Amino acid sequence: MINRKKFIRLGSIGIGGILVNKSLASASIASTTDNVFKAEGIKFGVIADLHNDLMHDGLRRAKLFIEAMKNEKPDFIISLGDFCFPKAENKELMAVWDGFTGERHFVIGNHDTDGGFTKQQVTDFWNSPAPYYSFDKQGFHFVILDGNEKSRTKKIEGYPRSISQQQLEWLKKDIRNTKNRVIIFCHQGLDNDDGGLENGMAVRYLLEQMNIEAGFNKILLVLTGHHHLNYHNEINGIHYVQINSASYYWAGDTFESKAFDADFYKKHGILRRTLVYQDPIWATVSIDHKKNIHIQGSETDMAGIPLAQVGIDIYKDVYPISAKIDSRHLRYR
């Protein structure tokens, strides 16, 4: 068994049923209201950017996450995107993921459709309702967004990373139709202009206007992946938390090749500009109805070569490069 540097410690648990119902709107799922919930709130497990089709040991990383979730029994688990391609070789990974018998949710990442796969193929392979949808659980309302839509107003280099007007209209209606506090999941950061949502500010403004309209902070938390970093921002009363990758940090062209442990990367067939985390990291999030958000993170070491010896500016992306997800106690209003 691989020893983790710091294993996740989890708190109270809760189990509930699936509460998603199909609506007339395309590519969306509207939710019913969960009228019976435990006063202590909800707990869920979250993992981001596994990149099973890149990582030589993605299956091992998924197994460790699922083993921990089986023991802790959260209300649901969720992947924040860049999980796997919808191809036959990944059926074994899906079998591991399905080993958690509670609710399982997915956010689509920009890499999940690499190779010409469609979003429909991805959601079908994952047995996910749609690219974006919502559901209720333990008195909270959860919204999964699709941040991989093309901008109609700007030419964006690289992958599409916008939320369309149609999805924004759906989001506005969906938030208005719930009386519960809202937690939002998206692959790309709404608060990170370095490869995050192109219209992230517009989405944040919509969320803030929904809070003003409701007369209280209805939207309390946004969880994202994509950036393979570890940070938290509070903007106008809404918490934005980045969940680090379960697998690696992409160092890019600025990473000097001499800093690599060449034998390690050659042995495992990993791209040379990738800083691999020795073991998977993930987080569990507990939210109660007394305005507490507890995030229990985890950390490991860099594989092959210590980060201090890499010879790269760890603040190259403003937020420091690390192989960890911080534990946090946040309060919502």
Side-chain angles (χ1 to χ4, degrees), residues 43-295:
K43 178 182 170 184
F44 55 91
V46 57
I47 190 169
D49 298 272
L50 178 68
H51 287 277
N52 187 64
D53 300 283
L54 171 64
M55 293 305 301
H56 65 287
D57 65 346
L59 195 64
R60 176 184 74 91
R61 293 169 190 268
K63 284 179 178 178
L64 287 172
F65 172 67
I66 294 300
E67 286 171 7
M69 296 301 104
K70 284 180 181 179
N71 290 332
E72 300 301 335
K73 298 181 176 62
D75 292 272
F76 66 87
I77 60 174
I78 185 166
S79 163
L80 288 180
D82 287 354
F83 187 67
C84 74
F85 303 155
K87 61 182 184 180
E89 294 87 336
N90 286 327
K91 288 183 178 179
E92 185 177 5
L93 174 66
M94 295 308 302
V96 169
W97 184 261
D98 292 344
F100 179 79
T101 56
E103 287 187 36
R104 303 175 298 279
H105 295 278
F106 289 96
V107 178
I108 291 184
N110 58 298
H111 286 294
D112 292 316
T113 53
D114 281 354
F117 293 107
T118 66
K119 290 180 183 179
Q120 185 67 55
Q121 287 175 309
V122 171
T123 55
D124 288 348
F125 189 77
W126 291 348
N127 194 28
S128 185
Y132 58 90
Y133 63 98
S134 64
F135 63 97
D136 283 349
K137 202 77 177 169
Q138 302 293 8
F140 293 99
H141 187 69
F142 297 90
V143 179
I144 291 175
L145 296 178
D146 174 13
N148 307 285
E149 297 182 312
K150 291 184 178 180
S151 172
R152 293 187 177 182
T153 60
K154 295 182 181 179
K155 183 178 179 180
I156 305 298
E157 297 295 328
Y159 289 90
R161 49 184 178 91
S162 296
I163 290 182
S164 67
Q165 188 61 38
Q166 178 180 351
Q167 188 178 170
L168 287 176
E169 291 299 325
W170 170 86
L171 176 60
K172 184 188 298 184
K173 181 178 179 181
D174 184 76
I175 293 173
R176 280 175 172 165
N177 285 344
T178 183
K179 295 180 180 179
N180 295 335
R181 300 272 191 166
V182 178
I183 296 94
I184 291 178
F185 304 105
C186 186
H187 181 60
Q188 299 88 345
L190 280 64
D191 58 332
N192 189 328
D193 61 5
D194 185 10
L197 281 185
E198 176 273 325
N199 59 340
M201 184 169 66
V203 181
R204 294 200 312 270
Y205 181 74
L206 171 62
L207 300 182
E208 292 163 11
Q209 292 304 302
M210 291 295 95
N211 280 353
I212 292 172
E213 182 180 294
F216 65 99
N217 273 31
K218 197 174 192 179
I219 299 97
L220 57 96
L221 175 66
V222 178
L223 292 172
T224 61
H226 183 61
H227 302 278
H228 297 218
L229 293 168
N230 167 47
Y231 59 82
H232 159 251
N233 291 312
E234 183 176 356
I235 304 174
N236 294 329
I238 300 174
H239 294 286
Y240 296 85
V241 177
Q242 164 75 187
I243 300 298
N244 202 345
S245 167
S247 298
Y248 71 92
Y249 175 81
W250 172 250
D253 295 334
T254 60
F255 195 8
E256 297 293 337
S257 60
K258 65 182 181 181
F260 286 88
D261 183 330
D263 291 338
F264 174 86
Y265 286 92
K266 182 177 180 181
K267 176 182 177 182
H268 296 297
I270 301 170
L271 297 177
R272 290 183 62 81
R273 294 188 175 94
T274 303
L275 286 169
V276 175
Y277 306 158
Q278 181 172 299
D279 290 315
I281 55 175
W282 60 78
T284 55
V285 181
S286 300
I287 308 174
D288 64 29
H289 295 281
K290 297 180 180 179
K291 302 185 178 181
N292 293 297
I293 303 170
H294 291 278
I295 298 174

